[in-house]
Protein backbone atom coordinates (compact mmCIF):
# COMPACT_ATOMS: atom_id res chain seq x y z
CA UNK A 1 0.00 0.00 0.00
CA UNK A 2 1.83 3.04 -1.18
CA UNK A 3 5.54 3.68 -1.07
CA UNK A 4 6.21 2.19 2.38
CA UNK A 5 6.28 -1.49 3.36
CA UNK A 6 3.25 -2.66 5.35
CA UNK A 7 5.48 -4.67 7.73
CA UNK A 8 9.24 -4.96 8.40
CA UNK A 9 11.46 -7.02 10.63
CA UNK A 10 13.12 -5.62 13.72
CA UNK A 11 16.79 -4.78 13.09
CA UNK A 12 18.04 -6.93 15.98
CA UNK A 13 16.17 -10.00 14.63
CA UNK A 14 16.91 -9.75 10.90
CA UNK A 15 19.87 -10.93 8.80
CA UNK A 16 23.09 -8.90 9.06
CA UNK A 17 24.34 -9.66 5.54
CA UNK A 18 22.57 -9.90 2.16
CA UNK A 19 19.76 -12.44 1.88
CA UNK A 20 20.52 -14.62 -1.14
CA UNK A 21 17.39 -16.73 -1.25
CA UNK A 22 13.85 -16.81 0.10
CA UNK A 23 11.63 -19.89 -0.24
CA UNK A 24 7.91 -20.02 0.52
CA UNK A 25 6.76 -23.05 2.51
CA UNK A 26 3.48 -24.91 2.21
CA UNK A 27 1.54 -24.35 5.40
CA UNK A 28 -2.05 -23.97 6.57
CA UNK A 29 -1.67 -20.21 6.80
CA UNK A 30 0.30 -19.80 3.53
CA UNK A 31 2.39 -17.17 5.32
CA UNK A 32 5.61 -19.05 6.18
CA UNK A 33 8.95 -18.68 4.45
CA UNK A 34 12.63 -19.32 5.07
CA UNK A 35 15.61 -17.13 4.17
CA UNK A 36 19.34 -17.80 3.91
CA UNK A 37 22.14 -15.26 4.12
CA UNK A 38 25.90 -14.94 4.05
CA UNK A 39 25.67 -14.08 7.78
CA UNK A 40 25.66 -17.89 8.29
CA UNK A 41 22.04 -18.03 9.37
CA UNK A 42 18.92 -19.69 7.99
CA UNK A 43 15.85 -17.93 9.42
CA UNK A 44 12.25 -19.19 9.41
CA UNK A 45 9.52 -16.51 9.28
CA UNK A 46 5.77 -16.15 9.57
CA UNK A 47 4.95 -13.05 7.54
CA UNK A 48 1.98 -12.27 9.81
CA UNK A 49 4.43 -11.66 12.67
CA UNK A 50 7.69 -10.25 11.30
CA UNK A 51 8.72 -8.76 14.65
CA UNK A 52 10.42 -12.06 15.54
CA UNK A 53 11.53 -15.13 13.56
CA UNK A 54 9.78 -18.45 14.13
CA UNK A 55 13.09 -20.32 14.21
CA UNK A 56 16.75 -19.93 13.29
CA UNK A 57 19.72 -22.15 12.46
CA UNK A 58 23.35 -21.09 12.55
CA UNK A 59 25.24 -22.67 9.66
CA UNK A 60 28.57 -24.10 10.86
CA UNK A 61 31.12 -26.72 9.86
CA UNK A 62 30.00 -28.86 12.82
CA UNK A 63 33.32 -28.73 14.71
CA UNK A 64 32.93 -29.39 18.44
CA UNK A 65 35.48 -26.74 19.44
CA UNK A 66 35.38 -23.34 17.73
CA UNK A 67 33.00 -24.16 14.85
CA UNK A 68 33.48 -22.03 11.73
CA UNK A 69 30.44 -20.24 10.38
CA UNK A 70 29.47 -20.99 6.78
CA UNK A 71 27.70 -18.25 4.81
CA UNK A 72 24.54 -19.38 3.02
CA UNK A 73 24.12 -18.61 -0.68
CA UNK A 74 21.47 -21.00 -2.03
CA UNK A 75 18.48 -22.78 -0.51
CA UNK A 76 16.30 -25.69 -1.61
CA UNK A 77 13.07 -26.98 -0.09
CA UNK A 78 10.66 -29.37 -1.79
CA UNK A 79 7.55 -30.75 -0.09
CA UNK A 80 7.99 -34.12 -1.82
CA UNK A 81 11.45 -34.60 -0.27
CA UNK A 82 9.98 -34.24 3.19
CA UNK A 83 8.44 -31.15 4.75
CA UNK A 84 11.26 -30.88 7.30
CA UNK A 85 14.24 -31.20 4.90
CA UNK A 86 16.24 -28.25 3.57
CA UNK A 87 19.46 -28.00 1.55
CA UNK A 88 21.74 -24.97 1.87
CA UNK A 89 24.66 -24.19 -0.45
CA UNK A 90 27.42 -22.22 1.25
CA UNK A 91 30.04 -19.64 0.28
CA UNK A 92 32.72 -22.15 1.27
CA UNK A 93 31.60 -24.78 -1.28
CA UNK A 94 29.83 -27.23 1.05
CA UNK A 95 26.16 -28.19 1.09
CA UNK A 96 24.33 -28.58 4.39
CA UNK A 97 21.25 -30.70 4.98
CA UNK A 98 18.98 -29.13 7.61
CA UNK A 99 16.14 -30.79 9.45
CA UNK A 100 13.38 -28.73 11.09
CA UNK A 101 11.14 -30.91 13.20
CA UNK A 102 8.16 -29.45 15.07
CA UNK A 103 8.92 -28.14 18.56
CA UNK A 104 12.65 -28.86 18.18
CA UNK A 105 15.65 -26.76 17.18
CA UNK A 106 16.66 -26.82 13.53
CA UNK A 107 19.70 -29.08 13.20
CA UNK A 108 22.32 -29.68 10.54
CA UNK A 109 22.18 -33.39 9.72
CA UNK A 110 24.74 -33.84 6.93
CA UNK A 111 27.62 -31.84 5.51
CA UNK A 112 28.07 -32.71 1.81
CA UNK A 113 31.50 -32.02 0.33
CA UNK A 114 33.09 -31.04 3.64
CA UNK A 115 36.26 -33.09 4.26
CA UNK A 116 36.28 -32.46 8.03
CA UNK A 117 32.91 -34.28 8.18
CA UNK A 118 33.85 -37.22 5.97
CA UNK A 119 32.72 -35.65 2.71
CA UNK A 120 34.65 -35.06 -0.48
CA UNK A 121 34.41 -33.20 -3.77
CA UNK A 122 32.96 -29.91 -2.55
CA UNK A 123 32.98 -26.83 -4.74
CA UNK A 124 35.96 -24.45 -4.70
CA UNK A 125 33.76 -21.41 -4.21
CA UNK A 126 30.16 -20.44 -3.47
CA UNK A 127 27.38 -22.91 -4.33
CA UNK A 128 25.13 -20.59 -6.34
CA UNK A 129 22.38 -23.11 -7.01
CA UNK A 130 21.06 -26.15 -5.13
CA UNK A 131 18.13 -27.96 -6.77
CA UNK A 132 16.44 -31.29 -6.03
CA UNK A 133 15.49 -33.53 -8.93
CA UNK A 134 11.68 -33.23 -9.24
CA UNK A 135 11.39 -36.88 -10.35
CA UNK A 136 13.76 -38.49 -7.80
CA UNK A 137 14.02 -36.14 -4.80
CA UNK A 138 16.93 -37.95 -3.12
CA UNK A 139 19.16 -36.65 -5.96
CA UNK A 140 20.15 -33.00 -6.12
CA UNK A 141 22.18 -30.70 -8.34
CA UNK A 142 24.66 -28.07 -7.17
CA UNK A 143 26.28 -25.36 -9.26
CA UNK A 144 29.38 -23.47 -8.20
CA UNK A 145 32.91 -22.62 -9.35
CA UNK A 146 33.47 -24.01 -12.90
CA UNK A 147 31.33 -27.16 -12.60
CA UNK A 148 27.99 -28.66 -11.72
CA UNK A 149 27.71 -31.71 -9.47
CA UNK A 150 25.07 -34.38 -8.98
CA UNK A 151 24.64 -35.70 -5.42
CA UNK A 152 22.61 -38.35 -3.62
CA UNK A 153 21.37 -37.88 -0.04
CA UNK A 154 23.06 -41.06 1.21
CA UNK A 155 26.56 -40.07 -0.02
CA UNK A 156 28.73 -37.22 1.23
CA UNK A 157 30.59 -36.93 -2.09
CA UNK A 158 29.23 -36.19 -5.57
CA UNK A 159 28.02 -38.97 -7.88
CA UNK A 160 28.98 -36.95 -10.94
CA UNK A 161 30.88 -33.78 -11.72
CA UNK A 162 30.77 -32.03 -15.05
CA UNK A 163 33.94 -30.98 -16.81
CA UNK A 164 35.51 -27.72 -15.71
CA UNK A 165 34.06 -25.04 -17.95
CA UNK A 166 36.12 -22.16 -19.30
CA UNK A 167 33.80 -19.70 -17.51
CA UNK A 168 32.33 -19.88 -14.01
CA UNK A 169 28.82 -21.29 -13.65
CA UNK A 170 26.07 -19.10 -12.24
CA UNK A 171 22.85 -21.17 -11.96
CA UNK A 172 21.31 -24.57 -12.58
CA UNK A 173 17.90 -26.21 -12.97
CA UNK A 174 16.38 -29.62 -13.63
CA UNK A 175 14.07 -30.29 -16.55
CA UNK A 176 10.48 -30.59 -15.33
CA UNK A 177 9.73 -33.30 -17.93
CA UNK A 178 12.92 -35.41 -18.31
CA UNK A 179 14.36 -36.94 -15.14
CA UNK A 180 18.02 -36.95 -16.23
CA UNK A 181 18.23 -33.58 -17.97
CA UNK A 182 19.60 -30.48 -16.25
CA UNK A 183 20.71 -27.05 -17.40
CA UNK A 184 23.50 -24.76 -16.24
CA UNK A 185 24.19 -21.14 -17.06
CA UNK A 186 27.67 -19.69 -17.44
CA UNK A 187 29.05 -16.23 -16.80
CA UNK A 188 30.12 -15.96 -20.45
CA UNK A 189 26.46 -16.07 -21.53
CA UNK A 190 26.11 -19.74 -22.51
CA UNK A 191 23.38 -22.16 -21.45
CA UNK A 192 24.53 -25.79 -21.33
CA UNK A 193 22.23 -28.84 -21.30
CA UNK A 194 23.38 -32.10 -19.68
CA UNK A 195 21.53 -35.36 -20.31
Amino acid sequence: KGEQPCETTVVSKQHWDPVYELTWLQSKTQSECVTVSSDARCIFWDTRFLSEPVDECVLTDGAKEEPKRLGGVSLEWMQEAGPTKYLVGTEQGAILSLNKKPKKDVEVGTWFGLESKGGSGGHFGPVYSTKRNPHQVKYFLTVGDWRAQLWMEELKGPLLSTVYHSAMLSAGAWSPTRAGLFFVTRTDGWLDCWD
Side-chain angles (χ1 to χ4, degrees):
K1 298 179 181 181
E3 296 177 6
Q4 299 297 318
C6 58
E7 180 113 20
T8 59
T9 57
V10 179
V11 173
S12 62
K13 303 289 184 177
Q14 66 190 16
H15 286 287
W16 308 310
D17 276 356
V19 173
Y20 284 100
E21 194 141 359
L22 177 146
T23 299
W24 287 100
L25 306 175
Q26 287 182 349
S27 66
K28 291 179 184 177
T29 62
Q30 296 297 312
S31 61
E32 295 177 21
C33 64
V34 59
T35 55
V36 70
S37 168
S38 55
D39 66 1
R41 294 185 305 153
C42 189
I43 300 181
F44 296 82
W45 303 95
D46 185 332
T47 57
R48 299 171 300 166
F49 313 106
L50 286 178
S51 59
E52 191 161 327
V54 174
D55 211 340
E56 179 179 326
C57 178
V58 177
L59 308 172
T60 69
D61 64 357
K64 298 287 184 207
E65 294 180 24
E66 298 182 33
K68 293 180 185 170
R69 294 170 72 106
L70 306 174
V73 179
S74 60
L75 175 66
E76 172 70 347
W77 176 80
M78 185 183 284
Q79 178 76 27
E80 297 79 10
T84 64
K85 292 182 171 185
Y86 302 83
L87 293 170
V88 176
T90 66
E91 291 177 317
Q92 293 77 9
I95 303 94
L96 308 182
S97 174
L98 308 182
N99 203 342
K100 183 185 184 313
K101 293 184 179 173
K103 301 185 190 316
K104 291 188 177 180
D105 290 338
V106 181
E107 59 184 33
V108 178
T110 309
W111 291 261
F112 297 98
L114 195 62
E115 290 182 16
S116 64
K117 286 299 205 177
S120 63
H123 289 279
F124 297 114
V127 179
Y128 293 116
S129 188
T130 306
K131 301 292 181 192
R132 284 192 185 274
N133 185 312
H135 306 281
Q136 295 289 328
V137 294
K138 70 178 181 179
Y139 297 101
F140 61 95
L141 171 72
T142 59
V143 172
D145 54 54
W146 298 269
R147 63 195 165 139
Q149 295 182 305
L150 179 62
W151 304 76
M152 186 170 120
E153 282 184 344
E154 291 83 13
L155 303 174
K156 292 184 180 182
L159 288 171
L160 171 111
S161 291
T162 63
V163 297
Y164 286 91
H165 293 80
S166 57
M168 292 188 82
L169 303 183
S170 54
W174 287 98
S175 167
T177 55
R178 290 184 58 185
L181 179 64
F182 64 89
F183 305 88
V184 295
T185 58
R186 301 179 355 194
T187 57
D188 61 0
W190 287 83
L191 170 70
D192 291 343
C193 305
W194 290 84
D195 193 358

